[in-house]
Amino acid sequence: AQSVSQHNHHVILSEAASLELGCNYSYGGTVNLFWYVQYPGQHLQLLLKYFSGDPLVKGIKGFEAEFIKSKFSFNLRKPSVQWSDTAEYFCAVKDYRDDKIIFGKGTRLHILP
Amino acid sequence: NAGVMQNPRHLVRRRGQEARLRCSPMKGHSHVYWYRQLPEEGLKFMVYLQKENIIDESGMPKERFSAEFPKEGPSILRIQQVVRGDSAAYFCASSPRLGQGDSGTEAFFGQGTRLTVV
């Protein structure tokens, strides 16, 4: 069964620091990849997605992610974080064997003003 | 176009009662997912439905939990004889269909129902 690993459960950064959140998945076939964000008290919103094509994907709010097939990874990056980026971030994977979207356990990001 | 609507937002039930959680997908969406969120555990897949059909319920507990998505009306997640361990946030997501390759699209989430069992 597909599984998704997010390496960091809690990350604390100062404003303007660079961010990289790790995500690895287990199934090596064709996959669709997502990063969702959940701001405090709100529902999940899509940050970015990868289906095919350029493995470097740009999303909203200055976020980007790179799909590296050989490493089964889809890490999320942002060059300079803001206090408003404080939220929980979820990596998710859908593989072509079924239509389930499987989520990682999430990374709670706290930005210090 | 209204987003995914879940109600109620908060639900309190005593042990042994039934909980019914409703999810109205976005207009034009025929597929619904249910997830359970517990602190430090992320989102756990429960069930995937299309209208009048359960596609995958591999994440549903074997007893007390059931889900449906009728031809008309919202999708319902039903928990019978609730126990304290059922306390969690339950999220619904909808999509037109999660296709393959470029025809695919993401799932859109509702605001969730927070169930508290007392």
Side-chain angles (χ1 to χ4, degrees):
Chain A
Q2 180 69 268
S3 65
V4 180
S5 298
Q6 291 185 240
H7 314 302
N8 311 99
H9 290 200
H10 291 95
V11 173
I12 301 174
L13 293 172
S14 298
E15 274 194 308
S18 65
L19 170 71
E20 181 159 2
L21 301 182
C23 173
N24 286 89
Y25 59 94
S26 59
Y27 173 62
T30 306
V31 291
N32 298 154
L33 299 156
F34 309 87
W35 275 96
Y36 282 85
V37 60
Q38 186 178 29
Y39 297 103
Q42 295 190 27
H43 62 288
L44 277 80
Q45 303 168 47
L46 184 74
L47 267 182
L48 46 79
K49 60 185 177 183
Y50 171 80
F51 283 95
S52 63
D54 189 344
L56 184 61
V57 179
K58 294 198 183 297
I60 60 171
K61 305 187 180 187
F63 286 91
E64 65 178 31
E66 185 174 12
F67 170 49
I68 303 179
K69 190 173 182 179
S70 61
K71 294 185 178 179
F72 302 97
S73 72
F74 190 55
N75 292 354
L76 181 71
R77 300 194 292 246
K78 186 171 183 177
S80 177
V81 294
Q82 300 172 302
W83 179 77
S84 58
D85 293 325
T86 295
E88 191 158 15
Y89 293 80
F90 293 92
C91 179
V93 177
K94 171 192 171 293
D95 69 55
Y96 281 15
R97 295 173 296 178
D98 57 42
D99 278 340
K100 287 189 295 195
I101 305 179
I102 302 300
F103 283 81
K105 290 189 175 183
T107 297
R108 208 176 286 269
L109 175 66
H110 186 68
I111 306 299
L112 301 172
Chain B
N1 188 10
V4 178
M5 304 299 292
Q6 287 188 250
N7 67 83
R9 290 289 308 278
H10 300 276
L11 181 62
V12 179
R13 284 287 177 266
R14 295 185 185 280
R15 280 179 295 171
Q17 290 184 318
E18 178 180 285
R20 279 182 174 247
L21 287 62
R22 283 175 287 278
C23 169
S24 296
M26 286 179 71
K27 189 175 180 181
H29 286 191
S30 57
H31 290 67
V32 165
Y33 292 73
W34 284 95
Y35 292 87
R36 178 162 61 179
Q37 185 178 30
L38 289 164
E40 311 298 329
E41 291 191 21
L43 284 155
K44 288 287 177 73
F45 168 81
M46 298 182 75
V47 63
Y48 175 40
L49 313 102
Q50 66 182 130
K51 282 191 183 289
E52 300 185 284
N53 184 32
I54 295 175
I55 300 173
D56 186 326
E57 56 181 348
S58 58
M60 289 277 272
K62 295 283 186 281
E63 296 175 349
R64 301 187 298 107
F65 284 72
S66 62
E68 63 177 10
F69 188 16
K71 187 175 180 182
E72 301 291 338
S75 175
I76 306 285
L77 179 67
R78 184 180 175 209
I79 311 172
Q80 295 178 290
Q81 299 174 313
V82 295
V83 301
R84 288 240 170 93
D86 297 331
S87 296
Y90 291 84
F91 286 93
C92 166
S94 75
S95 73
R97 182 183 180 277
L98 286 177
Q100 299 178 356
D102 292 336
S103 63
T105 183
E106 70 272 21
F108 294 82
F109 280 81
Q111 301 232 343
T113 294
R114 186 163 297 278
L115 172 66
T116 303
V117 180
V118 297

